[in-house]
């Protein structure tokens, strides 16, 4: 809690009515306690650390798209073959699932904030090693470290934002995580287009350093502190983030009252604690969101979003026709950023279900249409239609960015019960990153055996099935507190009464 004491802000806006004690004279606050900062500003500041770290994650995903063409160039001093290229691309995805396992343990034991502070170190080392690489093994290790950091970041970043933001801001702030990924991919492609790959990697070192500084000045989440029995620290952190409005005070009481007995009762035996945990894990409030989110992540990854990100330059050589593939890649990246920004606004206005269904339907239509156009390339006979494949790919990026990409990450931070939020988000993110690796590693095989047409047909078929599943099972969580969402999953749907069944 030292960072909290260093940043003892005056809580005087948006319903803040209680005077704050003056900071310790020996500790100079990083932001003057005389300044007035709204709760939203403080929540946005808390979210900025995960957002900047996620931007570095996007740069990790996009880096291979510009790194591999440079390494394959005849002028490259570091020669690679086709198999090495696929491993360089997928090496970042390989440890992401492993990172999720470690982060689940770390954030349960040491907290969400400390876990994110720790992951900045391998992120930094990975980019430094890439910038200094002289052998393929240096690239493997550098990509492994950055990918491992992405996995470490996945669960705690979304949980941290979900637990520090109030319900009306939570969706938009969680959506900025996807925006940060899109910006990171764009930034990586821009740097790789105009700079030598080692220089681009050196520039990327800046972002883990900035993220570390932002994590340092923000508090731990009130929910984790309350679960661990630090009631006074939880209350202090909550007021730092949310102020003293009547609504905030009511939510604070719920957070403090939901502390699990198995974690607070030191006299309870280990067997009873284990039994309590197992009962909680096999409860509806855990199993239902766990199943839904795993299927959602599977559909997300097999929609091809990361295959396009990791191999975008090579894909654009086939799709863009006479358009320069690097220019087309950057244009697609800009569209991804714009749509991710629009998603932050849309999530404040619309629910998760409508956005998810619109995204899935649009993604399916775009993929299957693109496959049909590439299969019968009539557009090549008409110069005025040369834009058609690139336009359909842009449509795919638009639709996938407003729902299918952000929603699994947004909802993973919302749907699991507080007592097992670390386990649920960690296990779900583990599965998501595992499928991420499978798709990235197998995409060259799909493209070479099924062709571009067959691969897009495969992705389109999976998103079509995903549309049906999401329509049937995805709940609405917009504007609900985390406690209300937990109750939503823990209570089975009531059976209709005989009287209501007779009503036509």
């Amino acid at each position: 809690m030292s960072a909290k004491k260093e940043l003892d802000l005056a809580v005087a806006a948006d319903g803040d009515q209680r005077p704050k004690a003056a900071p310790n004279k020996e500790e100079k606050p990083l932001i003057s306690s005389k300044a007035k900062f709204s709760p939203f500003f403080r929540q946005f500041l808390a979210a900025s650390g995960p957002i900047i770290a996620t931007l570095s994650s996007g740069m990790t995903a996009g880096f291979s798209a510009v790194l591999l063409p440079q390494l394959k160039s005849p002028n490259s001093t570091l020669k690679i073959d086709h198999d090495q290229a696929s491993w360089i691309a997928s090496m970042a995805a390989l440890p992401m699932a492993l990172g999720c396992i470690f982060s689940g343990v770390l954030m349960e034991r040491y907290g969400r904030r400390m876990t994110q502070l720790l992951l900045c170190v391998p992120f930094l080392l990975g980019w430094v090693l890439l910038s200094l690489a002289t052998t393929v093994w240096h690239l493997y290790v550098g990509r492994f470290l950055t990918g491992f950091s992405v996995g470490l970041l996945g669960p705690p970043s979304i949980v941290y934002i979900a637990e520090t933001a109030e319900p009306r801001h939570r969706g938009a702030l969680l959506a900025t995580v996807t925006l940060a990924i899109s910006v990171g991919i764009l930034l990586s492609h821009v740097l790789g287009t105009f700079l030598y790959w080692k220089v681009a990697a050196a520039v990327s070192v800046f972002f883990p350093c900035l993220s570390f500084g932002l994590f340092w000045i923000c508090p731990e989440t009130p929910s984790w502190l309350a679960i661990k029995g630090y009631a006074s620290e939880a209350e202090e952190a909550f007021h730092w983030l949310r102020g003293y409005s009547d609504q905030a005070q009511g939510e604070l009481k719920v957070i403090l009252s939901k502390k699990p007995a198995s974690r607070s009762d030191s006299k309870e035996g280990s067997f009873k604690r284990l039994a309590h945990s197992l009962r909680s894990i096999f409860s509806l409030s855990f199993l239902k969101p766990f199943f839904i989110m795993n299927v959602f992540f599977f559909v997300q990854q097999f929609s091809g979003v990361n295959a396009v990100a990791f191999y975008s330059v090579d894909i654009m050589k086939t799709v863009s026709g006479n358009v320069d593939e690097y220019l087309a890649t950057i244009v697609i990246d800009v569209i991804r950023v714009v749509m991710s920004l629009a998603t932050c606004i849309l999530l404040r206005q619309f629910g998760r279900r409508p956005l998810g269904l619109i995204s899935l339907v649009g993604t399916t239509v775009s993929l299957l249409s693109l496959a049909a156009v590439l299969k019968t390339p009539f557009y090549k006979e008409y110069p005025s239609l040369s834009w058609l494949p690139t336009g359909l790919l842009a449509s795919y990026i638009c639709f996938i960015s407003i729902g299918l990409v952000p929603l699994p990450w947004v909802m993973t931070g919302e749907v699991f019960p507080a007592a097992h939020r670390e386990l649920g988000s960690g296990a779900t993110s583990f599965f998501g990153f595992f499928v991420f690796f499978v798709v990235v590693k197998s995409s060259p095989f799909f493209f070479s055996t099924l062709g571009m047409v067959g691969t897009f047909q495969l992705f389109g078929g999976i998103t079509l099935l995903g549309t049906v599943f999401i329509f049937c099972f995805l709940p609405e969580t917009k504007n609900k507190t985390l406690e209300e969402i937990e109750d939503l999953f823990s209570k089975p749907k009531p059976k209709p009464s005989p009287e209501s069944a007779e009503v036509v």
Side-chain angles (χ1 to χ4, degrees):
M1 296 305 295
S2 60
K4 167 68 187 67
K5 294 179 181 178
E6 292 173 359
L7 195 58
D8 192 9
L9 300 177
V11 187
D14 285 8
D16 297 357
Q17 299 173 355
R18 300 186 185 183
K20 292 290 290 181
N24 191 317
K25 293 182 179 180
E26 296 180 359
E27 296 181 355
K28 185 178 180 181
L30 299 178
I31 297 179
S32 172
S33 61
K34 296 180 181 179
K36 295 181 179 180
F37 297 95
S38 70
F40 174 73
F41 174 83
R42 295 193 290 273
Q43 292 165 42
F44 181 78
L45 182 64
S48 297
I51 290 170
I52 297 299
T54 304
L55 188 145
S56 191
S57 298
M59 297 181 73
T60 299
F63 189 63
S64 63
V66 292
L67 170 64
L68 297 181
Q70 289 194 32
L71 292 176
K72 293 177 182 178
S73 171
N75 300 325
S76 175
T77 57
L78 183 57
K79 303 297 183 180
I80 62 170
D81 57 33
H82 180 75
D83 185 62
Q84 288 173 327
S86 70
W87 275 110
I88 290 171
S90 59
M91 187 58 70
L94 178 63
M96 289 180 184
L98 181 65
C100 288
I101 296 176
F102 279 93
S103 68
V105 175
L106 289 173
M107 70 173 175
E108 193 282 330
R109 185 176 180 84
Y110 300 108
R112 291 79 160 108
R113 172 180 168 272
M114 180 57 68
T115 300
Q116 294 174 101
L117 279 168
L118 292 174
L119 67 86
C120 290
V121 177
F123 236 148
L124 175 66
L125 293 176
W127 284 118
V128 169
L129 186 57
L130 287 170
S131 68
L132 301 175
T134 57
T135 69
V136 174
W137 278 100
H138 291 158
L139 296 176
Y140 287 162
V141 176
R143 293 283 288 166
F144 185 93
L145 287 173
T146 53
F148 182 68
S149 300
V150 173
L152 282 175
L153 177 66
S157 63
I158 53 181
V159 171
Y160 185 81
I161 294 175
E163 291 183 349
T164 55
E166 59 185 291
R168 59 175 175 160
H169 301 314
R170 189 176 62 235
L173 288 176
L174 284 168
T176 56
V177 172
T178 305
L179 173 63
I181 293 175
S182 301
V183 172
I185 293 173
L186 170 62
L187 183 57
S188 180
H189 289 171
V190 170
L191 291 174
T193 300
F194 297 103
L195 299 176
Y196 184 49
W197 62 269
K198 287 190 176 183
V199 179
V203 173
S204 303
V205 171
F206 168 74
F207 297 98
C209 296
L210 176 59
S211 180
F212 185 93
L214 290 168
F215 287 131
W216 186 260
I217 65 175
C218 292
E220 182 54 80
T221 70
S223 296
W224 183 83
L225 291 168
I227 285 175
K228 291 299 180 181
Y230 303 117
S232 60
E233 290 87 348
E235 186 174 358
E236 184 182 10
F238 186 89
H239 289 319
W240 189 94
L241 292 160
R242 302 286 297 277
Y244 289 93
S245 67
D246 293 338
Q247 181 181 359
Q249 290 294 93
E251 189 174 343
L252 175 60
K253 291 180 180 178
V254 174
I255 290 175
L256 295 177
S257 67
K258 285 248 178 177
K259 183 174 61 174
S262 62
R263 299 193 180 199
S264 62
D265 188 359
S266 59
K267 295 182 180 180
E268 189 176 18
S270 59
F271 178 79
K272 290 184 178 181
R273 290 198 299 271
L274 177 61
H276 177 86
S277 298
L278 290 176
R279 284 196 302 270
S280 300
I281 291 172
F282 288 101
S283 65
L284 287 175
S285 63
F286 183 86
L287 290 179
K288 287 172 64 176
F290 182 75
F291 174 71
I292 292 171
M293 298 313 301
N294 278 334
V295 174
F296 208 173
F297 268 111
F298 179 87
V299 175
Q300 178 203 63
Q301 294 302 325
F302 268 96
S303 68
V305 57
N306 286 303
V308 173
F310 273 61
Y311 302 100
S312 55
V313 174
D314 292 333
I315 290 174
M316 294 310 298
K317 287 181 181 179
T318 302
V319 173
S320 60
N322 297 327
V323 181
D324 179 78
E325 62 267 21
Y326 285 94
L327 175 61
T329 297
I330 292 176
V331 169
I332 292 297
D333 290 342
V334 171
I335 293 173
R336 184 187 287 111
V337 170
V338 171
M339 295 309 300
S340 297
L341 181 61
T343 303
C344 298
I345 301 172
L346 292 173
L347 280 172
R348 289 180 60 88
Q349 303 296 326
F350 303 99
R352 309 324 188 218
R353 276 181 57 83
L355 278 181
L357 291 171
I358 291 171
S359 175
L360 280 160
V361 171
T363 299
T364 301
V365 172
S366 298
L367 282 170
L368 296 180
S369 299
L370 179 58
V373 167
L374 293 177
K375 187 175 182 178
T376 56
F378 60 90
Y379 63 93
K380 292 183 178 180
E381 301 177 4
Y382 305 94
S384 60
L385 295 179
S386 61
W387 58 269
L388 186 58
T390 304
L392 286 171
L393 188 60
S395 171
Y396 160 76
I397 294 296
C398 288
F399 280 110
I400 206 170
S401 297
I402 64 170
L404 193 50
V405 171
L407 285 180
W409 296 110
V410 167
M411 299 186 72
T412 295
E414 296 178 328
V415 296
F416 290 104
H420 295 292
R421 194 162 290 142
E422 306 92 352
L423 174 63
S425 61
T428 303
S429 300
F430 170 86
F431 179 78
F433 281 126
F434 174 75
V435 183
F436 184 153
F437 167 73
V438 171
V439 172
V440 172
K441 188 68 176 73
S442 60
S443 289
F445 172 78
F446 289 149
F447 290 135
S448 63
T449 56
L450 302 178
M452 201 72 69
V453 172
T455 302
F456 286 141
Q457 287 175 335
L458 172 65
F459 292 157
I462 291 174
T463 54
L464 177 61
L465 295 176
T467 303
V468 177
F469 177 86
I470 293 304
F471 177 80
C472 295
F473 297 105
L474 189 72
E476 184 58 72
T477 60
K478 183 177 182 290
N479 291 335
K480 290 183 171 64
T481 67
L482 298 181
E483 290 69 30
E484 289 172 340
I485 296 171
E486 182 176 344
D487 292 338
L488 176 68
F489 281 109
S490 61
K491 297 176 182 178
K493 292 183 179 180
K495 296 181 179 180
S497 63
E499 293 80 5
S500 61
E502 295 174 358
V503 178
V504 178

